[in-house]
Amino acid sequence: MRKLLFLAPLVLFVSGCPGSAVHKVTVAQHDFRFTVQAFQDAEIAEHDLGKVPDDLHIRIQTTIKEVAQGGADLDAALAANANKSTLKAKLDAIQALLDVSLKDGVLGIKDKDAKAQLELALEAVKAIVANAEVFVQ
Amino acid sequence: MNPAIVVNVLQMILAAEPAVVQAIHNLLSGNGTADDLTVLKADTIAWQAVADKAEAQIQAAKVARPPIVPVAGA
């Protein structure tokens, strides 16, 4: 049910949007950046409250940094009208980084509320990327 | 799960920047303008800001955690 809630804004932005795979991924990519920023800010807030230990904070922010670099790289590929296979490879790499952030970072948080909030925010990011991947299959 | 947390996260996700989305639409439909390119460039710069913020957090956390130095013979 929670995943459906986060897919709702994605459907609003993408469902009424005809056009190429590049166009559809471009639209989804902007939701992607905002959800990554939301996840980053939420994680920093929980760390500042003492609910995320430093070692996990470093691991999570490291993968966020790599995701951001992947996002900028995807932006450049979209602007250059890259083909589907190129876009898919970049989206797959981003999804792999998000999985690392979840497995090696968020799931290790002991505070239940902080873990639940961050897991929710991260699932929103993953859902947007997964939907963008559909357009480049 | 605190419902307020769910609402906060959902509100952040829904707060999209229409100007950026419109710029992309315009560029891909061949109706791009210099303003559209500026907005697109700003979006790319925003990614760099995310990366820079993450790096600042990483460095601050490393300073806060002194490295563990193994003691010989221990």
Side-chain angles (χ1 to χ4, degrees):
Chain A
M1 179 58 186
R2 289 187 305 181
K3 286 191 180 176
L4 286 176
L5 278 177
F6 285 101
L7 282 174
L10 176 63
V11 169
L12 283 173
F13 279 110
V14 174
S15 64
C17 181
S20 66
V22 168
H23 176 67
K24 288 179 181 177
V25 172
T26 299
V27 174
Q29 138 91 327
H30 293 286
D31 294 332
F32 166 46
R33 176 168 68 79
F34 286 106
T35 51
V36 169
Q37 286 174 313
F39 172 63
Q40 180 178 49
D41 288 342
E43 197 278 333
I44 290 170
E46 294 300 325
H47 171 257
D48 290 350
L49 287 170
K51 296 181 180 182
V52 178
D54 284 343
D55 59 339
L56 290 182
H57 179 60
I58 289 171
R59 269 189 246 168
I60 293 169
Q61 289 294 323
T62 298
T63 48
I64 287 173
K65 179 180 157 187
E66 290 167 353
V67 166
Q69 289 163 344
D73 185 45
L74 180 60
D75 244 345
L78 288 165
N81 207 22
N83 61 31
K84 279 188 186 182
S85 62
T86 300
L87 294 176
K88 184 174 183 327
K90 292 184 187 299
L91 287 166
D92 285 348
I94 289 169
Q95 196 69 282
L97 285 170
L98 295 172
D99 286 337
V100 167
S101 189
L102 183 66
K103 192 167 74 91
D104 294 348
V106 173
L107 292 182
I109 296 170
K110 290 191 172 28
D111 184 278
K112 285 182 186 173
D113 273 347
K115 180 176 163 182
Q117 181 186 8
L118 293 178
E119 202 175 343
L120 200 62
L122 188 51
E123 288 292 342
V125 183
K126 285 172 60 60
I128 287 173
V129 175
N131 200 75
E133 284 177 310
V134 169
F135 298 131
V136 294
Q137 292 294 337
Chain B
M1 165 65 79
N2 186 339
I5 294 173
V6 175
V7 170
N8 283 343
V9 174
L10 192 55
Q11 282 176 335
M12 281 191 276
I13 292 166
L14 290 173
E17 284 183 13
V20 177
V21 176
Q22 187 61 53
I24 297 297
H25 276 264
N26 290 343
L27 286 164
L28 290 173
S29 62
N31 297 321
T33 65
D35 287 341
D36 291 330
L37 291 172
T38 301
V39 173
L40 181 58
K41 191 176 174 186
D43 190 55
T44 304
I45 290 171
W47 273 123
Q48 186 58 50
V50 173
D52 290 345
K53 193 172 185 175
E55 182 60 29
Q57 289 291 316
I58 291 162
Q59 294 307 320
K62 282 181 177 174
V63 166
R65 294 179 74 223
I68 298 169
V69 179
V71 176

